[in-house]
């Protein structure tokens, strides 16, 4: 009989972790999935939870040993907008934290590691439309710099230590399960709450700022599909481009107005506009489609309809 999987999720209380833990528990059973974060969960009654700072290598090693961890989903990070407020902290959490996790994974014989990268690895000189897998990567933000370096570390651990690391360059993620944690794409979540609560939203990006986006159910589907894929078929061990939606704030607002005709949006771009301008508008994810059969389920209309159903008035 195959030994039981023991799955550790680091940064489990964030926007992705909240929903990924639920999906993993549905698949593997509640007690096989240990949620962990530097902050306490609002509700940790659904399964095991550990308070854990990924910056503390001793504590990370202890958690790996204690739970006999076989798979890791390492989500703990400082995102793009927050990272620009404290670049040194962002570098330390995103880089030292990743190295602590990769090192522990090798030391404790972990079978598979998932770590997300981002469209933030691209920069001003990357192709803006249908940005290919192997585009110029010249990120301006400390977040993007740390993600690009992280991708190379993941590839390095795969090549030199045989660690089965898998990664996606997520676009901006839209969800109602948990609020986003300080990114440039957060407007695409805030807009729904403000539309429902006040019928009005002031957007911090320009109305024509096109960005690649994805609805959370598709992000969870992509993550699980990549982790279940045949490792021999994965040609990319840095991070896969993965794509679904591409829209501007004005296009998103118009899609919401179809259902809430009185909804009004103003635009007051701030420092996050400068970040967004360096990122692609859409992504070519051919490698993901060919290597592990990636295909999203949600288009813009379906995502908007589902968000509006789930966000309270
Ligand atoms: P989030 O900010 O919502 O959650 C991150 C979690 O990490 C938080 O719960 C936070 O408390 C925790 N954390 C921070 N520092 C920690 C530390 N030192 N030790 C332990 N936990 C710590 O972020 P998210 O949106 O859930 O993103 C998860 C991952 O996905 C990150 O690597 C992020 O860069 C990546 N990603 C997210 C998006 C997106 O749109 N949400 C897009 C691309 C990539
Ligand atoms: N959504 C993320 C951010 O804006 C992209 O990685 O930071």
């Amino acid at each position: 009989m195959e030994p039981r999987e023991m799955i550790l999720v680091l940064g489990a209380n964030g926007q992705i972790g909240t929903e990924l833990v639920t999906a993993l528990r549905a698949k593997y059973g509640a007690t096989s999935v240990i949620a962990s974060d530097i902050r306490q969960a609002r509700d940790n009654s659904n399964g095991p939870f550990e308070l854990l700072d990924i910056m503390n290598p001793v504590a990370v090693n202890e958690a790996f040993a204690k739970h006999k961890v076989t798979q890791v989903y390492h989500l703990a990070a400082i995102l793009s907008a927050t990272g620009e407020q404290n670049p040194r902290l962002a570098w330390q959490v995103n880089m030292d934290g990743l190295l602590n996790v990769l090192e522990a994974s090798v030391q404790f014989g972990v079978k598979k590691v998932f770590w997300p990268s981002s469209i933030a690895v691209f920069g001003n000189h990357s192709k803006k439309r249908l940005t290919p897998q192997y585009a110029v990567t010249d990120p301006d933000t400390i977040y993007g710099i740390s993600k690009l370096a992280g991708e190379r570390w993941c590839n390095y651990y795969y090549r030199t230590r045989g660690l089965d690391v898998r990664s996606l360059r997520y676009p901006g993620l839209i969800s109602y399960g948990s609020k986003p944690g300080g990114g440039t794409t957060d407007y695409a979540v805030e807009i729904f709450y403000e539309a429902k609560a006040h019928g009005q939203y002031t957007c911090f990006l320009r109305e024509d700022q096109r960005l690649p986006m994805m609805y959370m159910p598709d992000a969870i589907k992509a993550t699980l599909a990549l982790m279940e894929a045949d490792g021999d078929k994965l040609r990319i061990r840095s991070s896969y481009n993965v794509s679904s939606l591409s829209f501007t704030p004005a296009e998103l607002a118009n899609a919401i107005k179809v259902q809430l005709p009185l909804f009004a949006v103003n635009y007051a771009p701030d420092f996050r506009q400068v970040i967004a301008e360096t990122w692609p508008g859409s992504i070519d994810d051919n490698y993901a489609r060919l290597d592990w059969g990636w295909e999203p389920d949600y288009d813009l209309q379906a995502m908007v309809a589902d968000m509006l159903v789930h966000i309270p008035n």
Side-chain angles (χ1 to χ4, degrees):
M1 203 170 82
E2 284 279 302
R4 181 183 176 203
E5 296 289 348
M6 288 303 289
I7 300 171
L8 179 62
V9 182
L10 301 148
N13 289 347
Q15 188 190 8
I16 300 172
T18 304
E19 304 207 25
L20 185 62
V21 166
T22 304
L24 288 169
R25 285 187 174 151
K27 187 173 163 55
Y28 292 95
T31 55
S32 289
V33 181
I34 299 102
S36 76
D37 203 287
I38 198 171
R39 59 192 166 102
Q40 199 57 252
R42 260 175 305 162
D43 172 13
N44 57 16
S45 60
N46 295 326
F49 177 81
E50 292 265 353
L51 263 189
L52 180 60
D53 181 355
I54 54 156
M55 301 291 286
N56 180 343
V58 175
V60 170
N61 286 356
E62 279 172 6
F64 276 60
K66 176 179 162 191
H67 295 289
K68 300 188 171 46
V69 172
T70 63
Q71 291 188 36
V72 174
Y73 290 76
H74 172 33
L75 308 176
I78 306 288
L79 274 74
S80 60
T82 312
E84 292 306 287
Q85 312 305 314
N86 193 340
R88 219 182 159 97
L89 177 71
W91 177 257
Q92 286 163 348
V93 172
N94 295 359
M95 209 75 297
D96 296 347
L98 173 61
L99 291 177
N100 289 342
V101 172
L102 292 175
E103 214 29 67
S105 298
V106 171
Q107 194 180 326
F108 292 93
V110 166
K111 289 195 289 191
K112 283 185 209 170
V113 178
F114 176 80
W115 170 82
S117 183
S118 162
I119 53 152
V121 296
F122 298 115
N124 278 316
H125 296 86
S126 315
K127 187 169 176 261
K128 289 282 181 218
R129 200 179 147 270
L130 290 176
T131 310
Q133 178 72 37
Y134 295 107
V136 170
T137 42
D138 58 345
D140 272 356
T141 60
I142 198 66
Y143 175 70
I145 295 168
S146 70
K147 288 295 184 188
L148 183 55
E151 287 188 4
R152 300 321 304 165
W153 272 113
C154 287
N155 192 65
Y156 186 81
Y157 268 77
Y158 172 73
R159 207 167 48 75
T160 64
R161 315 289 287 277
L163 185 64
D164 188 350
V165 195
R166 303 174 181 207
S167 175
L168 298 173
R169 289 171 173 160
Y170 288 136
L173 299 182
I174 300 160
S175 67
Y176 57 84
S178 177
K179 296 272 172 78
T184 301
T185 57
D186 293 9
Y187 91 84
V189 177
E190 289 173 9
I191 193 170
F192 285 97
Y193 286 89
E194 295 302 310
K196 273 291 189 86
H198 304 114
Q200 195 276 332
Y201 177 60
T202 301
C203 181
F204 58 75
L205 296 187
R206 253 188 6 231
E207 63 180 310
D208 61 349
Q209 182 59 57
R210 180 171 300 282
L211 287 171
M213 299 277 186
M214 184 179 283
Y215 196 31
M216 189 62 83
D218 274 332
I220 302 295
K221 174 180 155 177
T223 305
L224 297 182
L226 177 65
M227 286 297 269
E228 285 160 14
D230 177 353
D232 292 340
K233 298 223 164 75
L234 302 181
R235 286 177 287 175
I236 293 168
R237 293 300 184 146
S238 49
S239 191
Y240 276 94
N241 275 8
V242 64
S243 170
S244 167
L245 309 170
S246 163
F247 55 75
T248 65
E251 287 167 356
L252 178 57
N254 285 336
I256 294 172
K257 277 185 209 170
V258 171
Q259 300 201 39
L260 302 175
L262 297 181
F263 179 47
V265 184
N266 305 313
Y267 297 91
D270 66 14
F271 73 100
R272 291 167 282 193
Q273 174 60 35
V274 180
I275 298 175
E277 277 168 23
T278 69
W279 291 353
S282 62
I283 297 287
D284 176 341
D285 61 1
N286 251 319
Y287 280 89
R289 289 175 189 256
L290 289 172
D291 288 6
W292 45 277
W294 164 242
E295 204 180 333
D297 290 331
Y298 285 82
D299 62 14
L300 178 60
Q301 286 70 29
M303 178 275 286
V304 168
D306 203 54
M307 283 291 283
L308 289 174
V309 163
H310 285 96
I311 290 175
N313 287 316

